[in-house]
Amino acid sequence: MKIVSWNVNGLRACVRKGFLDYFNDVNADIFCVQEIKLQAGRIELELDGYHQYWNYAEKKGYSGTAVFTKEKPLHVTYGVGSNETEEEGRIITLEYGDFFLVNVYTPNAKRDLSRLDYRLQWEDEMYDYLVELQARKPVIYCGDLNVAHQEIDLKNDKANRGNSGFTIEEREKMTRLLDAGFVDSLRHLYPEEEGIYSWWSYMRSVRERNIGWRIDYFIISDQLINRLIESTTHPHIMGSDHCPILLELK
């Protein structure tokens, strides 16, 4: 089973830059996207053989997520816990026979950290939600999680310490989740490999020099480790300031 996650930073723009070429070439069983930046009716994708599930933000041109899946899920939800909706369109959960897939675009704390309190509240709600799901069946939690967990997950860790996406508070929330029976699938396979990133600034030559951050993840329940084949990034794929990431399971 092959699953892809990609923050496309505007789906319509990404389609103009080759999204469908990659989509067809990778032939994923499940393809998750974040930051689609559009509303219902603003795009029509002809994806033969895929069911499409969309969660649009109420604010135009902002946030939003979608999942394209070959196998129809048993159930689909668009919020966390008892909240069946979420106004920024950041979450889609698909329930399959033997696992949950949770596609998420985690809110950014902002450069001035003005949204850090909201971000930490979000993390607490997501933690409770994921632990609750995991009590029922294994979970695949993926998307742009907007945090570099360890120093190895960004190029300039010393210069960015305390900045949005690399605050102690955000990193500790990730550590707590990984201590609750979840695994960072890529680091499980490549614990010491440097230079693996999924996001680069649009500043000149930053991506060419690989000055990046790894903020996109496949976090899986530890029950799935024995099914893990590969977890990697596709930095050669352009079209967004993020690159796609891929998970393969038996």
Side-chain angles (χ1 to χ4, degrees):
M1 180 174 64
K2 188 186 298 184
I3 307 175
V4 168
S5 173
W6 192 5
N7 179 323
V8 292
N9 192 23
L11 183 56
R12 285 176 295 176
C14 195
V15 166
R16 293 193 296 270
K17 298 174 184 176
F19 172 85
L20 291 173
D21 292 334
Y22 175 73
F23 182 91
N24 292 322
D25 287 345
V26 75
N27 192 29
D29 297 287
I30 304 172
F31 199 113
C32 303
V33 291
Q34 306 89 40
E35 205 171 2
I36 57 174
K37 293 184 176 179
L38 52 79
Q39 272 62 48
R42 297 303 304 272
I43 193 171
E44 278 195 29
L45 289 180
E46 297 294 334
L47 305 176
D48 290 343
Y50 286 86
H51 304 276
Q52 302 185 24
Y53 300 95
W54 301 81
N55 193 6
Y56 306 102
E58 292 180 7
K59 181 180 176 181
K60 290 184 178 180
Y62 180 72
S63 189
T65 48
V67 179
F68 315 126
T69 171
K70 290 181 178 179
E71 180 180 341
K72 188 175 183 179
L74 302 175
H75 190 56
V76 180
T77 55
Y78 299 90
V80 172
S82 60
N83 297 321
E84 295 183 358
T85 61
E86 188 274 316
E87 64 182 14
E88 295 186 355
R90 294 181 178 273
I91 308 166
I92 305 178
T93 301
L94 282 67
E95 180 181 0
Y96 294 92
D98 59 351
F99 67 93
F100 289 101
L101 176 92
V102 184
N103 176 35
V104 168
Y105 176 38
T106 299
N108 190 302
K110 291 196 172 181
R111 183 181 293 272
D112 62 358
L113 302 183
S114 60
R115 227 181 178 202
L116 181 60
D117 287 345
Y118 174 75
R119 164 65 180 269
L120 299 179
Q121 179 185 345
W122 166 281
E123 295 285 1
D124 290 341
E125 291 177 356
M126 284 302 304
Y127 175 85
D128 291 343
Y129 179 58
L130 294 168
V131 169
E132 177 205 345
L133 291 180
Q134 184 167 244
R136 296 161 57 191
K137 61 181 75 172
V139 174
I140 300 169
Y141 171 45
C142 70
D144 177 359
L145 304 188
N146 258 319
V147 63
H149 182 223
Q150 301 173 331
E151 286 84 357
I152 196 174
D153 294 319
L154 72 168
K155 180 70 172 180
N156 295 321
D157 60 286
K158 291 182 175 62
N160 282 291
R161 192 161 292 146
N163 288 347
S164 174
F166 200 57
T167 63
I168 292 174
E169 294 90 340
E170 290 167 302
R171 296 168 65 196
E172 285 178 344
K173 296 297 186 184
M174 173 68 85
T175 299
R176 179 181 64 167
L177 181 65
L178 298 179
D179 288 341
F182 291 89
V183 176
D184 177 348
S185 60
L186 186 144
R187 283 290 167 227
H188 179 78
L189 296 174
Y190 309 105
E192 297 179 1
E193 186 166 338
E194 299 181 358
I196 304 177
Y197 308 126
S198 64
W199 175 83
W200 302 263
S201 165
Y202 277 131
M203 293 175 63
R204 185 176 180 181
S205 76
V206 164
R207 188 159 181 172
E208 289 79 359
R209 291 183 289 152
N210 199 28
I211 303 173
W213 296 51
R214 188 174 74 96
I215 58 176
D216 301 84
Y217 296 81
F218 280 104
I219 307 293
I220 63 175
S221 296
D222 56 13
Q223 302 103 301
L224 296 174
I225 289 176
N226 63 351
R227 294 174 56 183
L228 179 60
I229 299 171
E230 179 63 291
S231 183
T232 190
T233 62
H234 286 170
H236 60 289
I237 300 299
M238 310 302 283
S240 169
D241 51 349
H242 295 248
C243 74
I245 61 173
L246 179 140
L247 177 75
E248 288 189 67
L249 298 174
K250 297 176 185 174

